[in-house]
Each structure stands twice: as C-alpha cells, then as structure tokens.
Amino acid sequence: MESSSSSKGHAPETVPEDPEAGLIEDMEEERRNFFKIIAAFKYYRHSSMAELKRKECFLETLPPAHQQMLTSYREHLQNQRRCVEVNAQVIKQIIQDANCLFQNADHNIEPELQPADGLKLRYQDFQKVQITLKQIFRDWSEQGKLERDQCYSPIVQEITAFFNPAKYDLTKVKILVPGAGLGRLIYELACQGFYCEGNEFSLFMLIASNFVLNRCVVANQCTIYPWVHQVVNNLSQQNQLVPVSFPDVSPTKFPPKGTMNMVAGDFLQVYRDEDYWECIATCFFIDCANNIIEFIEVIKKILKPGGIWVNLGPLLYHFSDVPQEGSIEPTYEDLLEIIRSLGFIILKNETNIVTTYSQNPTSMHQSHYNSIYLVCQKPNN
C-alpha cells in the first residue's frame, strides 16, 4: 500500500494581509519541522553514543576497587553500543525515502545534516525516536501481540460484528482511525475487507509507518533493540538487550482485502465533511486533545447517521501538565454526560479494561491502564 499522505498545519489565528506570504511562511515552518524530525532520527546514534560515553567517563572516576567490581557492567556498555549501532542502521533505512512522504521533491535529506544548520534539537526530540522504536515493538512485532490483543482486537471484533458481511458490502464501509500511529489497526481493519483510513499528526509516526507499510517486503525484515535505552528496573543485562524483529507480517507481501491509506495532519483541521464515515475507531487517542469536547463534536459531525464510534483507552490527558498549554480534564462520568448531551446513543460502556502500552515485558516495573471501552451510535435522522 502506498500511503497517501497530505500535510496540513494548524490554521492561523488571524488572516495575514498577504495570503500568499502567509502560505509561504506556513510552508517554510512545515519544512523546518520536517527537517528537525529527520535530524532527530539522524542524530539518534550520535546522541545515544554520547550518553554511553558519559557513563563510561563517570565509571573512570570511580575508585579502582569499584571499577574492578564493574567489569561486567563495562562490557555491558559495549554491548549497548552494538545495539545502538543496529538501531541506527534500521533508522537509516526508515528515513531513506522520507523526502517522498508528502510528494515534496524539495525535501532533500542531506547525507550529513549538521547542528549548525540552525536546527535546535531538544532532548524530547531524541526521546521521541526512542518512543518510535518502542511503538514498532507494540504494533509490528510478534512480542507486541499481547498489547495488540488487549487494545485492537476488541475494536476489530466490535466493528466486524456490527457491520455483518452478510448485510454490508465491507468495501463500501468507510472507517476512520484518528491517531493511527504506525498503522497496525488500519491494516487489521482493512484485512477484514473494510475501506480504512488512518490519520496521524506526528511526523515520527508517519515516517516510521511509511517504512513498515510500504518498504518492508518480507516478514521480520529488520531487527531493533527497543529496550536498550531503558537503564532502570532491569533484572539482568540481557533484559535490556532483547532483540525484536519486525514486521511480524509484511503489508506489501500480504496486502489487505480492503483499502487502506494514511493521511497526515491535525484531526480537527483535516476532517470536516459531514455525514461521511460509517465508523470511527479511536484507540488511546481522545485524551490527546486540549479540549476533548472538540474531538467528540467532530466525531459526531463526520459520522453518518446510524454510524458508530468505537473507543478504547485511558484518560491520560496529554496536555494536563504541559506548561503554557490550556487543557480541560473531564472525569469519565463527566465525559459520559458530554457524549449524551451531544446526542450520541451509548451502546456499550465498559470500564476496567486492562491494557498496557509499549511496555517492556521483562522490566521490574510493570504498569497498566484500566481503560474505558465505549461504543456510541449517531442517531438516524
């Protein structure tokens, strides 16, 4: 599948006097953001090796007796280096054709982008590269199947039960998955025969999903070490060095029966057509909004009468602790009242659905969400 991606930024608060100048400014901002994310991928190796070097330098300052006790630990740091090298080679493949992602021919990725090029990279940018590796584990590895069974299987089962193939032509049932991440859920739904579109705002996710969906021609084509940067709560050195192969299934070798594509951009800006989708599936998504009511209003607007919205996930409210960001954080009880007041019919309302998210199965620290599971229907006119 070639993912058809269109990039759309946030609408400006005021209309510029010169619309053409405003458009150029938006395009330039988009270009800078694109290159910053590519730079974060490219500097994964450099930043990771620098961190390991700092640990080695601190090790050298310890008393000789302590260093003697840490001979195995010193070797472990070298093993981490080897894992980082492997990850870096896979990342190089992931970004190899990222310049074609938005059909922008001028997005040429220089072989050796330098920090002096004016790109201010933050620690969070490098963290997002590490998160992307963990997301690959979750969505496209055999080891991540447990998480997918927890989160995706109930959604797929609900939708296939509602849109019975004996009553519906599934190829004409249009499903939207906002916050599609690396695209596994849209692949699973398309494999059932549906027309499925994923929407994703994060360029980190879009670049990686483009690679998995369009460039991985065989199963287990690549190997990464997603836990190499998890330095705490390890029972053994080996737990940190577990290899993960991906994809467990190649979407190019085993294309779905239905249609799938991926669209880039802000969900609130991209989707405005009323009564268009038969189904919207959200997984770990609705709490990504500053104002969750806006998300639900748009979902209601773009669903066809009689269509359903299936939601699974927690209420983490991503902007709740972000400085200079406004945010509201309704409780689940509040949320149910909001959903009802907007006119939805609640078909299912379940709590305490145990789910995990990109979690190292071998870590001493294990956490889970008691997620909510909702199925809501837009009334027929």
Side-chain angles (χ1 to χ4, degrees):
M1 178 211 75
E2 282 295 328
S3 57
S4 61
S5 300
S6 61
S7 178
K8 298 187 181 182
H10 294 281
E13 294 183 359
T14 58
V15 178
E17 293 182 5
D18 183 348
E20 185 174 346
L23 179 60
I24 293 172
E25 183 178 341
D26 287 347
M27 291 175 63
E28 183 57 31
E29 177 61 31
E30 180 182 298
R31 185 175 182 275
R32 284 194 299 267
N33 186 47
F34 175 83
F35 274 118
K36 186 174 81 166
I37 289 165
I38 291 296
F41 275 116
K42 289 179 70 67
Y43 275 93
Y44 164 81
R45 180 186 179 280
H46 175 83
S47 61
S48 300
M49 292 299 187
E51 180 61 28
L52 289 170
K53 182 65 176 177
R54 282 191 289 272
K55 295 179 187 298
E56 290 171 338
C57 289
F58 178 73
L59 183 60
E60 295 297 331
T61 68
L62 301 182
H66 293 184
Q67 293 190 43
Q68 184 65 29
M69 296 179 206
L70 291 167
T71 300
S72 176
Y73 178 75
R74 190 188 297 271
E75 293 174 355
H76 182 51
L77 292 177
Q78 289 303 313
N79 287 332
Q80 290 178 57
R81 284 179 175 272
R82 284 190 279 273
C83 292
V84 166
E85 290 285 6
V86 172
N87 286 349
Q89 289 304 310
V90 174
I91 286 171
K92 186 181 292 185
Q93 295 179 55
I94 288 174
I95 65 172
Q96 187 173 12
D97 64 348
N99 58 313
C100 302
L101 189 59
F102 303 108
Q103 294 85 42
N104 292 331
D106 61 338
H107 275 182
N108 294 317
I109 300 172
E110 297 298 328
E112 295 297 333
L113 198 63
Q114 299 299 323
D117 292 340
L119 297 168
K120 295 180 180 179
L121 298 179
R122 306 166 301 167
Y123 176 67
Q124 295 95 316
D125 296 319
F126 298 118
Q127 277 188 316
K128 288 177 182 178
V129 177
Q130 296 175 16
I131 290 170
T132 302
L133 296 176
K134 295 177 184 178
Q135 192 77 10
I136 290 173
F137 153 82
R138 171 182 168 84
D139 264 21
W140 291 103
S141 76
E142 180 60 35
Q143 295 97 316
K145 184 176 185 301
L146 174 61
E147 289 198 4
R148 295 195 299 275
D149 286 346
Q150 291 172 338
C151 298
Y152 299 159
S153 292
I155 295 174
V156 175
Q157 290 167 9
E158 187 72 44
I159 294 172
T160 52
F162 187 89
F163 296 100
N164 188 330
K167 299 179 181 178
Y168 292 88
D169 178 355
L170 299 191
T171 63
K172 296 180 180 178
V173 175
K174 299 185 294 297
I175 301 173
L176 174 64
V177 180
L182 295 187
R184 185 58 183 254
L185 181 55
I186 68 170
Y187 175 74
E188 296 295 341
L189 287 167
C191 282
Q192 299 297 318
F194 296 105
Y195 173 95
C196 193
E197 180 167 296
N199 167 237
E200 180 56 52
F201 183 76
S202 167
L203 277 172
F204 288 96
M205 294 293 106
L206 288 162
I207 290 167
S209 66
N210 175 63
F211 176 71
V212 175
L213 295 174
N214 297 320
R215 299 295 177 259
C216 288
V217 296
V218 295
N220 299 318
Q221 179 173 314
C222 301
T223 297
I224 55 173
Y225 295 87
W227 317 118
V228 66
H229 303 287
Q230 185 174 307
V231 299
V232 298
N233 290 317
N234 291 306
L235 283 169
S236 72
Q237 294 178 359
Q238 190 55 41
N239 290 159
Q240 197 177 351
L241 308 178
V242 173
V244 169
S245 296
F246 76 94
D248 59 313
V249 58
S250 167
T252 57
K253 188 173 182 179
F254 296 99
K257 294 185 293 183
T259 301
M260 66 175 181
N261 67 337
M262 186 80 84
V263 173
D266 184 331
F267 170 67
L268 295 176
Q269 298 294 327
V270 175
Y271 294 96
R272 300 182 177 183
D273 292 340
E274 294 188 37
D275 303 340
Y276 185 81
W277 302 92
E278 276 80 14
C279 176
I280 295 174
T282 52
C283 185
F284 280 73
F285 173 71
I286 60 172
D287 57 354
C288 296
N290 301 77
N291 178 1
I292 193 172
I293 299 175
E294 284 187 313
F295 271 12
I296 300 172
E297 283 180 332
V298 171
I299 289 170
K300 170 80 181 308
K301 175 183 176 181
I302 65 180
L303 265 178
K304 284 186 176 180
I308 59 169
W309 165 36
V310 183
N311 174 77
L312 189 148
L315 293 176
L316 189 58
Y317 290 120
H318 293 231
F319 290 102
S320 62
D321 57 356
V322 178
Q324 285 80 53
E325 282 282 356
S327 175
I328 58 168
E329 300 87 27
T331 67
Y332 183 50
E333 286 184 349
D334 296 332
L335 193 61
L336 288 174
E337 287 304 310
I338 291 165
I339 290 170
R340 291 189 181 101
S341 69
L342 288 172
F344 274 112
I345 301 167
I346 297 178
L347 303 180
K348 287 189 179 179
N349 168 21
E350 299 176 15
T351 57
N352 295 319
I353 307 298
V354 176
T355 56
T356 53
Y357 198 94
S358 298
Q359 182 167 262
N360 183 351
T362 65
S363 173
M364 289 184 230
H365 175 77
Q366 298 291 321
S367 63
H368 68 268
Y369 296 100
N370 291 325
S371 290
I372 57 177
Y373 181 62
L374 272 171
V375 181
C376 305
Q377 188 173 30
K378 181 175 178 176
N380 285 298
N381 292 335

